[in-house]
PDB file of all heavy atoms in Angstrom:
ATOM      1  N   VAL A   1      -1.812   1.727  -5.127  1.00  0.00           N
ATOM      2  CA  VAL A   1      -1.344   2.743  -6.044  1.00  0.00           C
ATOM      3  C   VAL A   1      -2.026   4.040  -5.828  1.00  0.00           C
ATOM      4  O   VAL A   1      -1.459   5.122  -5.928  1.00  0.00           O
ATOM      5  CB  VAL A   1      -1.570   2.198  -7.503  1.00  0.00           C
ATOM      6  CG1 VAL A   1      -1.449   3.270  -8.607  1.00  0.00           C
ATOM      7  CG2 VAL A   1      -0.568   0.990  -7.902  1.00  0.00           C
ATOM      8  N   THR A   2      -3.357   4.060  -5.625  1.00  0.00           N
ATOM      9  CA  THR A   2      -4.139   5.245  -5.408  1.00  0.00           C
ATOM     10  C   THR A   2      -3.776   5.914  -4.131  1.00  0.00           C
ATOM     11  O   THR A   2      -3.704   7.106  -4.049  1.00  0.00           O
ATOM     12  CB  THR A   2      -5.726   4.858  -5.281  1.00  0.00           C
ATOM     13  OG1 THR A   2      -6.033   3.897  -4.456  1.00  0.00           O
ATOM     14  CG2 THR A   2      -6.173   4.508  -6.754  1.00  0.00           C
ATOM     15  N   THR A   3      -3.431   5.172  -3.051  1.00  0.00           N
ATOM     16  CA  THR A   3      -2.906   5.702  -1.799  1.00  0.00           C
ATOM     17  C   THR A   3      -1.635   6.438  -2.102  1.00  0.00           C
ATOM     18  O   THR A   3      -1.437   7.519  -1.612  1.00  0.00           O
ATOM     19  CB  THR A   3      -2.719   4.731  -0.832  1.00  0.00           C
ATOM     20  OG1 THR A   3      -3.923   3.968  -0.566  1.00  0.00           O
ATOM     21  CG2 THR A   3      -2.167   5.180   0.560  1.00  0.00           C
ATOM     22  N   CYS A   4      -0.703   5.867  -2.832  1.00  0.00           N
ATOM     23  CA  CYS A   4       0.642   6.483  -3.234  1.00  0.00           C
ATOM     24  C   CYS A   4       0.420   7.822  -3.928  1.00  0.00           C
ATOM     25  O   CYS A   4       1.030   8.872  -3.664  1.00  0.00           O
ATOM     26  CB  CYS A   4       1.506   5.582  -3.964  1.00  0.00           C
ATOM     27  SG  CYS A   4       2.052   4.140  -3.146  1.00  0.00           S
ATOM     28  N   ILE A   5      -0.596   7.856  -4.798  1.00  0.00           N
ATOM     29  CA  ILE A   5      -0.930   9.059  -5.771  1.00  0.00           C
ATOM     30  C   ILE A   5      -1.437  10.127  -4.717  1.00  0.00           C
ATOM     31  O   ILE A   5      -1.091  11.375  -4.800  1.00  0.00           O
ATOM     32  CB  ILE A   5      -1.897   8.805  -6.734  1.00  0.00           C
ATOM     33  CG1 ILE A   5      -1.128   7.922  -7.711  1.00  0.00           C
ATOM     34  CG2 ILE A   5      -2.169  10.068  -7.384  1.00  0.00           C
ATOM     35  CD1 ILE A   5      -2.198   7.380  -8.833  1.00  0.00           C
ATOM     36  N   CYS A   6      -2.281   9.752  -3.759  1.00  0.00           N
ATOM     37  CA  CYS A   6      -2.722  10.598  -2.636  1.00  0.00           C
ATOM     38  C   CYS A   6      -1.752  11.179  -1.864  1.00  0.00           C
ATOM     39  O   CYS A   6      -1.754  12.469  -1.542  1.00  0.00           O
ATOM     40  CB  CYS A   6      -3.872   9.938  -1.930  1.00  0.00           C
ATOM     41  SG  CYS A   6      -5.449   9.658  -2.790  1.00  0.00           S
ATOM     42  N   VAL A   7      -0.770  10.426  -1.440  1.00  0.00           N
ATOM     43  CA  VAL A   7       0.265  10.955  -0.665  1.00  0.00           C
ATOM     44  C   VAL A   7       1.187  11.886  -1.478  1.00  0.00           C
ATOM     45  O   VAL A   7       1.518  12.993  -0.935  1.00  0.00           O
ATOM     46  CB  VAL A   7       1.231   9.765  -0.215  1.00  0.00           C
ATOM     47  CG1 VAL A   7       2.630  10.259   0.397  1.00  0.00           C
ATOM     48  CG2 VAL A   7       0.539   8.872   0.751  1.00  0.00           C
ATOM     49  N   MET A   8       1.367  11.632  -2.773  1.00  0.00           N
ATOM     50  CA  MET A   8       2.172  12.504  -3.552  1.00  0.00           C
ATOM     51  C   MET A   8       1.441  13.933  -3.728  1.00  0.00           C
ATOM     52  O   MET A   8       1.964  14.998  -3.629  1.00  0.00           O
ATOM     53  CB  MET A   8       2.389  12.060  -5.002  1.00  0.00           C
ATOM     54  CG  MET A   8       3.456  10.862  -4.881  1.00  0.00           C
ATOM     55  SD  MET A   8       3.674  10.164  -6.524  1.00  0.00           S
ATOM     56  CE  MET A   8       4.174  11.570  -7.402  1.00  0.00           C
ATOM     57  N   LEU A   9       0.074  13.900  -3.928  1.00  0.00           N
ATOM     58  CA  LEU A   9      -0.666  15.095  -3.952  1.00  0.00           C
ATOM     59  C   LEU A   9      -0.642  15.892  -2.709  1.00  0.00           C
ATOM     60  O   LEU A   9      -0.593  17.147  -2.750  1.00  0.00           O
ATOM     61  CB  LEU A   9      -2.189  14.708  -4.386  1.00  0.00           C
ATOM     62  CG  LEU A   9      -2.413  14.266  -5.789  1.00  0.00           C
ATOM     63  CD1 LEU A   9      -3.834  13.811  -5.936  1.00  0.00           C
ATOM     64  CD2 LEU A   9      -2.108  15.390  -6.667  1.00  0.00           C
ATOM     65  N   ASN A  10      -0.820  15.226  -1.456  1.00  0.00           N
ATOM     66  CA  ASN A  10      -0.677  15.985  -0.320  1.00  0.00           C
ATOM     67  C   ASN A  10       0.630  16.583  -0.081  1.00  0.00           C
ATOM     68  O   ASN A  10       0.781  17.781   0.279  1.00  0.00           O
ATOM     69  CB  ASN A  10      -0.898  14.955   0.799  1.00  0.00           C
ATOM     70  CG  ASN A  10      -2.331  14.475   0.938  1.00  0.00           C
ATOM     71  OD1 ASN A  10      -2.614  13.281   1.286  1.00  0.00           O
ATOM     72  ND2 ASN A  10      -3.260  15.284   0.733  1.00  0.00           N
ATOM     73  N   LEU A  11       1.750  15.887  -0.450  1.00  0.00           N
ATOM     74  CA  LEU A  11       3.113  16.539  -0.349  1.00  0.00           C
ATOM     75  C   LEU A  11       3.307  17.728  -1.301  1.00  0.00           C
ATOM     76  O   LEU A  11       3.789  18.673  -0.969  1.00  0.00           O
ATOM     77  CB  LEU A  11       4.086  15.481  -0.533  1.00  0.00           C
ATOM     78  CG  LEU A  11       4.133  14.371   0.478  1.00  0.00           C
ATOM     79  CD1 LEU A  11       5.202  13.356   0.153  1.00  0.00           C
ATOM     80  CD2 LEU A  11       4.341  14.875   1.923  1.00  0.00           C
ATOM     81  N   VAL A  12       2.815  17.609  -2.646  1.00  0.00           N
ATOM     82  CA  VAL A  12       2.852  18.615  -3.523  1.00  0.00           C
ATOM     83  C   VAL A  12       2.110  19.806  -3.105  1.00  0.00           C
ATOM     84  O   VAL A  12       2.575  20.908  -3.277  1.00  0.00           O
ATOM     85  CB  VAL A  12       2.419  18.094  -4.997  1.00  0.00           C
ATOM     86  CG1 VAL A  12       2.341  19.260  -5.897  1.00  0.00           C
ATOM     87  CG2 VAL A  12       3.345  17.144  -5.458  1.00  0.00           C
ATOM     88  N   GLU A  13       0.871  19.667  -2.628  1.00  0.00           N
ATOM     89  CA  GLU A  13       0.075  20.738  -2.124  1.00  0.00           C
ATOM     90  C   GLU A  13       0.699  21.461  -0.978  1.00  0.00           C
ATOM     91  O   GLU A  13       0.753  22.704  -0.794  1.00  0.00           O
ATOM     92  CB  GLU A  13      -1.308  20.279  -1.687  1.00  0.00           C
ATOM     93  CG  GLU A  13      -2.227  21.434  -1.382  1.00  0.00           C
ATOM     94  CD  GLU A  13      -3.648  20.940  -1.130  1.00  0.00           C
ATOM     95  OE1 GLU A  13      -3.840  19.669  -0.976  1.00  0.00           O
ATOM     96  OE2 GLU A  13      -4.583  21.818  -1.038  1.00  0.00           O
ATOM     97  N   ALA A  14       1.291  20.589   0.015  1.00  0.00           N
ATOM     98  CA  ALA A  14       2.027  21.296   1.104  1.00  0.00           C
ATOM     99  C   ALA A  14       3.179  22.087   0.612  1.00  0.00           C
ATOM    100  O   ALA A  14       3.321  23.296   1.087  1.00  0.00           O
ATOM    101  CB  ALA A  14       2.501  20.176   2.095  1.00  0.00           C
ATOM    102  N   ALA A  15       4.006  21.523  -0.258  1.00  0.00           N
ATOM    103  CA  ALA A  15       5.081  22.395  -0.885  1.00  0.00           C
ATOM    104  C   ALA A  15       4.671  23.606  -1.526  1.00  0.00           C
ATOM    105  O   ALA A  15       5.271  24.606  -1.496  1.00  0.00           O
ATOM    106  CB  ALA A  15       5.924  21.518  -1.880  1.00  0.00           C
ATOM    107  N   TYR A  16       3.373  23.514  -2.273  1.00  0.00           N
ATOM    108  CA  TYR A  16       2.937  24.678  -2.880  1.00  0.00           C
ATOM    109  C   TYR A  16       2.472  25.664  -2.003  1.00  0.00           C
ATOM    110  O   TYR A  16       2.719  26.882  -2.232  1.00  0.00           O
ATOM    111  CB  TYR A  16       1.666  24.237  -3.792  1.00  0.00           C
ATOM    112  CG  TYR A  16       0.851  25.266  -4.213  1.00  0.00           C
ATOM    113  CD1 TYR A  16       1.311  26.053  -5.379  1.00  0.00           C
ATOM    114  CD2 TYR A  16      -0.437  25.639  -3.652  1.00  0.00           C
ATOM    115  CE1 TYR A  16       0.408  27.056  -5.888  1.00  0.00           C
ATOM    116  CE2 TYR A  16      -1.138  26.741  -4.129  1.00  0.00           C
ATOM    117  CZ  TYR A  16      -0.694  27.425  -5.277  1.00  0.00           C
ATOM    118  OH  TYR A  16      -1.476  28.497  -5.719  1.00  0.00           O
ATOM    119  N   LEU A  17       1.839  25.350  -0.913  1.00  0.00           N
ATOM    120  CA  LEU A  17       1.372  26.378   0.150  1.00  0.00           C
ATOM    121  C   LEU A  17       2.557  26.965   0.713  1.00  0.00           C
ATOM    122  O   LEU A  17       2.599  28.242   0.924  1.00  0.00           O
ATOM    123  CB  LEU A  17       0.610  25.684   1.194  1.00  0.00           C
ATOM    124  CG  LEU A  17      -0.798  25.306   0.788  1.00  0.00           C
ATOM    125  CD1 LEU A  17      -1.402  24.527   1.998  1.00  0.00           C
ATOM    126  CD2 LEU A  17      -1.767  26.472   0.333  1.00  0.00           C
ATOM    127  N   ILE A  18       3.685  26.249   1.083  1.00  0.00           N
ATOM    128  CA  ILE A  18       4.867  26.834   1.730  1.00  0.00           C
ATOM    129  C   ILE A  18       5.472  27.639   0.745  1.00  0.00           C
ATOM    130  O   ILE A  18       6.103  28.758   1.193  1.00  0.00           O
ATOM    131  CB  ILE A  18       5.672  25.578   2.279  1.00  0.00           C
ATOM    132  CG1 ILE A  18       4.946  24.866   3.369  1.00  0.00           C
ATOM    133  CG2 ILE A  18       7.083  26.161   2.723  1.00  0.00           C
ATOM    134  CD1 ILE A  18       5.759  23.605   3.805  1.00  0.00           C
ATOM    135  N   GLY A  19       5.707  27.319  -0.486  1.00  0.00           N
ATOM    136  CA  GLY A  19       6.427  28.041  -1.600  1.00  0.00           C
ATOM    137  C   GLY A  19       5.671  29.323  -1.790  1.00  0.00           C
ATOM    138  O   GLY A  19       6.279  30.404  -1.962  1.00  0.00           O
ATOM    139  N   LYS A  20       4.342  29.208  -1.765  1.00  0.00           N
ATOM    140  CA  LYS A  20       3.599  30.515  -2.004  1.00  0.00           C
ATOM    141  C   LYS A  20       3.647  31.420  -0.861  1.00  0.00           C
ATOM    142  O   LYS A  20       3.854  32.781  -1.089  1.00  0.00           O
ATOM    143  CB  LYS A  20       2.061  30.054  -2.172  1.00  0.00           C
ATOM    144  CG  LYS A  20       1.208  31.279  -2.615  1.00  0.00           C
ATOM    145  CD  LYS A  20      -0.209  30.784  -2.680  1.00  0.00           C
ATOM    146  CE  LYS A  20      -1.237  32.008  -3.085  1.00  0.00           C
ATOM    147  NZ  LYS A  20      -2.622  31.499  -3.266  1.00  0.00           N
ATOM    148  N   ARG A  21       3.715  31.027   0.304  1.00  0.00           N
ATOM    149  CA  ARG A  21       3.825  31.831   1.544  1.00  0.00           C
ATOM    150  C   ARG A  21       5.225  32.418   1.566  1.00  0.00           C
ATOM    151  O   ARG A  21       5.491  33.748   1.803  1.00  0.00           O
ATOM    152  CB  ARG A  21       3.603  31.039   2.738  1.00  0.00           C
ATOM    153  CG  ARG A  21       3.751  31.870   4.022  1.00  0.00           C
ATOM    154  CD  ARG A  21       2.982  33.075   4.201  1.00  0.00           C
ATOM    155  NE  ARG A  21       1.507  32.756   3.993  1.00  0.00           N
ATOM    156  CZ  ARG A  21       0.708  32.596   5.014  1.00  0.00           C
ATOM    157  NH1 ARG A  21       1.157  32.615   6.216  1.00  0.00           N
ATOM    158  NH2 ARG A  21      -0.640  32.329   4.833  1.00  0.00           N
ATOM    159  N   CYS A  22       6.326  31.724   1.205  1.00  0.00           N
ATOM    160  CA  CYS A  22       7.694  32.223   1.145  1.00  0.00           C
ATOM    161  C   CYS A  22       7.703  33.402   0.130  1.00  0.00           C
ATOM    162  O   CYS A  22       8.319  34.330   0.265  1.00  0.00           O
ATOM    163  CB  CYS A  22       8.660  31.168   0.872  1.00  0.00           C
ATOM    164  SG  CYS A  22       8.757  29.933   2.262  1.00  0.00           S
ATOM    165  N   HIS A  23       7.044  33.074  -1.058  1.00  0.00           N
ATOM    166  CA  HIS A  23       7.195  34.001  -2.134  1.00  0.00           C
ATOM    167  C   HIS A  23       6.419  35.328  -1.705  1.00  0.00           C
ATOM    168  O   HIS A  23       6.928  36.528  -2.107  1.00  0.00           O
ATOM    169  CB  HIS A  23       6.393  33.448  -3.410  1.00  0.00           C
ATOM    170  CG  HIS A  23       6.394  34.352  -4.571  1.00  0.00           C
ATOM    171  ND1 HIS A  23       7.552  34.848  -5.295  1.00  0.00           N
ATOM    172  CD2 HIS A  23       5.322  35.026  -5.138  1.00  0.00           C
ATOM    173  CE1 HIS A  23       7.206  35.567  -6.216  1.00  0.00           C
ATOM    174  NE2 HIS A  23       5.904  35.780  -6.238  1.00  0.00           N
ATOM    175  N   GLU A  24       5.265  35.253  -0.963  1.00  0.00           N
ATOM    176  CA  GLU A  24       4.622  36.471  -0.468  1.00  0.00           C
ATOM    177  C   GLU A  24       5.494  37.202   0.505  1.00  0.00           C
ATOM    178  O   GLU A  24       5.619  38.508   0.419  1.00  0.00           O
ATOM    179  CB  GLU A  24       3.346  35.977   0.159  1.00  0.00           C
ATOM    180  CG  GLU A  24       2.346  35.478  -0.928  1.00  0.00           C
ATOM    181  CD  GLU A  24       1.028  35.064  -0.195  1.00  0.00           C
ATOM    182  OE1 GLU A  24       1.041  34.913   1.020  1.00  0.00           O
ATOM    183  OE2 GLU A  24       0.080  34.721  -0.885  1.00  0.00           O
ATOM    184  N   TYR A  25       6.175  36.503   1.313  1.00  0.00           N
ATOM    185  CA  TYR A  25       7.155  37.187   2.261  1.00  0.00           C
ATOM    186  C   TYR A  25       8.172  37.890   1.719  1.00  0.00           C
ATOM    187  O   TYR A  25       8.605  39.057   1.959  1.00  0.00           O
ATOM    188  CB  TYR A  25       7.562  36.192   3.243  1.00  0.00           C
ATOM    189  CG  TYR A  25       6.712  35.895   4.363  1.00  0.00           C
ATOM    190  CD1 TYR A  25       6.241  34.643   4.772  1.00  0.00           C
ATOM    191  CD2 TYR A  25       6.183  37.021   5.223  1.00  0.00           C
ATOM    192  CE1 TYR A  25       5.437  34.405   5.894  1.00  0.00           C
ATOM    193  CE2 TYR A  25       5.343  36.806   6.271  1.00  0.00           C
ATOM    194  CZ  TYR A  25       5.000  35.406   6.561  1.00  0.00           C
ATOM    195  OH  TYR A  25       4.105  35.200   7.684  1.00  0.00           O
ATOM    196  N   LEU A  26       8.790  37.190   0.574  1.00  0.00           N
ATOM    197  CA  LEU A  26       9.843  37.876  -0.249  1.00  0.00           C
ATOM    198  C   LEU A  26       9.353  39.111  -0.921  1.00  0.00           C
ATOM    199  O   LEU A  26      10.004  40.188  -0.955  1.00  0.00           O
ATOM    200  CB  LEU A  26      10.483  36.991  -1.169  1.00  0.00           C
ATOM    201  CG  LEU A  26      11.191  35.765  -0.632  1.00  0.00           C
ATOM    202  CD1 LEU A  26      11.759  34.689  -1.693  1.00  0.00           C
ATOM    203  CD2 LEU A  26      12.395  36.235   0.181  1.00  0.00           C
ATOM    204  N   LEU A  27       8.219  39.101  -1.528  1.00  0.00           N
ATOM    205  CA  LEU A  27       7.605  40.278  -2.194  1.00  0.00           C
ATOM    206  C   LEU A  27       7.377  41.259  -1.197  1.00  0.00           C
ATOM    207  O   LEU A  27       7.690  42.504  -1.571  1.00  0.00           O
ATOM    208  CB  LEU A  27       6.347  39.820  -2.971  1.00  0.00           C
ATOM    209  CG  LEU A  27       6.469  39.070  -4.245  1.00  0.00           C
ATOM    210  CD1 LEU A  27       5.048  38.793  -4.787  1.00  0.00           C
ATOM    211  CD2 LEU A  27       7.370  39.740  -5.233  1.00  0.00           C
ATOM    212  N   ALA A  28       6.879  41.040  -0.016  1.00  0.00           N
ATOM    213  CA  ALA A  28       6.526  42.140   0.965  1.00  0.00           C
ATOM    214  C   ALA A  28       7.855  42.663   1.458  1.00  0.00           C
ATOM    215  O   ALA A  28       7.993  43.931   1.650  1.00  0.00           O
ATOM    216  CB  ALA A  28       5.797  41.513   2.193  1.00  0.00           C
ATOM    217  N   GLY A  29       8.937  41.856   1.614  1.00  0.00           N
ATOM    218  CA  GLY A  29      10.221  42.486   2.017  1.00  0.00           C
ATOM    219  C   GLY A  29      10.783  43.303   0.996  1.00  0.00           C
ATOM    220  O   GLY A  29      11.461  44.351   1.330  1.00  0.00           O
ATOM    221  N   SER A  30      10.618  42.931  -0.339  1.00  0.00           N
ATOM    222  CA  SER A  30      11.247  43.740  -1.343  1.00  0.00           C
ATOM    223  C   SER A  30      10.585  45.049  -1.486  1.00  0.00           C
ATOM    224  O   SER A  30      11.148  46.087  -1.791  1.00  0.00           O
ATOM    225  CB  SER A  30      11.275  43.063  -2.639  1.00  0.00           C
ATOM    226  OG  SER A  30       9.937  42.774  -3.017  1.00  0.00           O
ATOM    227  N   GLU A  31       9.291  45.050  -1.213  1.00  0.00           N
ATOM    228  CA  GLU A  31       8.414  46.341  -1.403  1.00  0.00           C
ATOM    229  C   GLU A  31       8.836  47.208  -0.303  1.00  0.00           C
ATOM    230  O   GLU A  31       8.981  48.484  -0.434  1.00  0.00           O
ATOM    231  CB  GLU A  31       6.933  46.011  -1.353  1.00  0.00           C
ATOM    232  CG  GLU A  31       6.408  45.251  -2.587  1.00  0.00           C
ATOM    233  CD  GLU A  31       4.927  44.986  -2.467  1.00  0.00           C
ATOM    234  OE1 GLU A  31       4.447  45.244  -1.424  1.00  0.00           O
ATOM    235  OE2 GLU A  31       4.471  44.438  -3.435  1.00  0.00           O
ATOM    236  N   GLU A  32       9.007  46.644   1.008  1.00  0.00           N
ATOM    237  CA  GLU A  32       9.436  47.570   2.085  1.00  0.00           C
ATOM    238  C   GLU A  32      10.882  48.112   1.853  1.00  0.00           C
ATOM    239  O   GLU A  32      11.115  49.289   2.189  1.00  0.00           O
ATOM    240  CB  GLU A  32       9.417  46.704   3.510  1.00  0.00           C
ATOM    241  CG  GLU A  32       8.090  46.348   3.797  1.00  0.00           C
ATOM    242  CD  GLU A  32       7.955  45.466   5.152  1.00  0.00           C
ATOM    243  OE1 GLU A  32       9.186  45.279   5.654  1.00  0.00           O
ATOM    244  OE2 GLU A  32       6.991  45.240   5.614  1.00  0.00           O
ATOM    245  N   GLY A  33      11.786  47.301   1.226  1.00  0.00           N
ATOM    246  CA  GLY A  33      12.977  47.843   0.991  1.00  0.00           C
ATOM    247  C   GLY A  33      13.134  48.921  -0.051  1.00  0.00           C
ATOM    248  O   GLY A  33      13.863  49.825   0.047  1.00  0.00           O
ATOM    249  N   CYS A  34      12.147  48.876  -1.028  1.00  0.00           N
ATOM    250  CA  CYS A  34      12.080  49.944  -1.996  1.00  0.00           C
ATOM    251  C   CYS A  34      11.569  51.191  -1.417  1.00  0.00           C
ATOM    252  O   CYS A  34      11.905  52.233  -1.880  1.00  0.00           O
ATOM    253  CB  CYS A  34      11.151  49.343  -3.196  1.00  0.00           C
ATOM    254  SG  CYS A  34      11.862  48.039  -4.233  1.00  0.00           S
TER     255      CYS A  34
END
């Protein structure tokens, strides 16, 4: 059970990092467009 929870935390953290990086790229692109 603890191993399954650790796997979920790793995947959530990876999704968080990727989502945060995509959000930063979108903000940078919108600022350049303005």
Side-chain angles (χ1 to χ4, degrees):
V1 170
T2 53
T3 300
C4 292
I5 296 174
C6 286
V7 171
M8 291 179 59
L9 285 174
N10 288 143
L11 296 179
V12 169
E13 187 176 11
Y16 168 77
L17 288 176
I18 295 173
K20 185 179 179 182
R21 178 56 59 90
C22 293
H23 180 68
E24 291 175 353
Y25 276 126
L26 290 175
L27 285 179
S30 63
E31 289 176 359
E32 290 179 359
C34 292

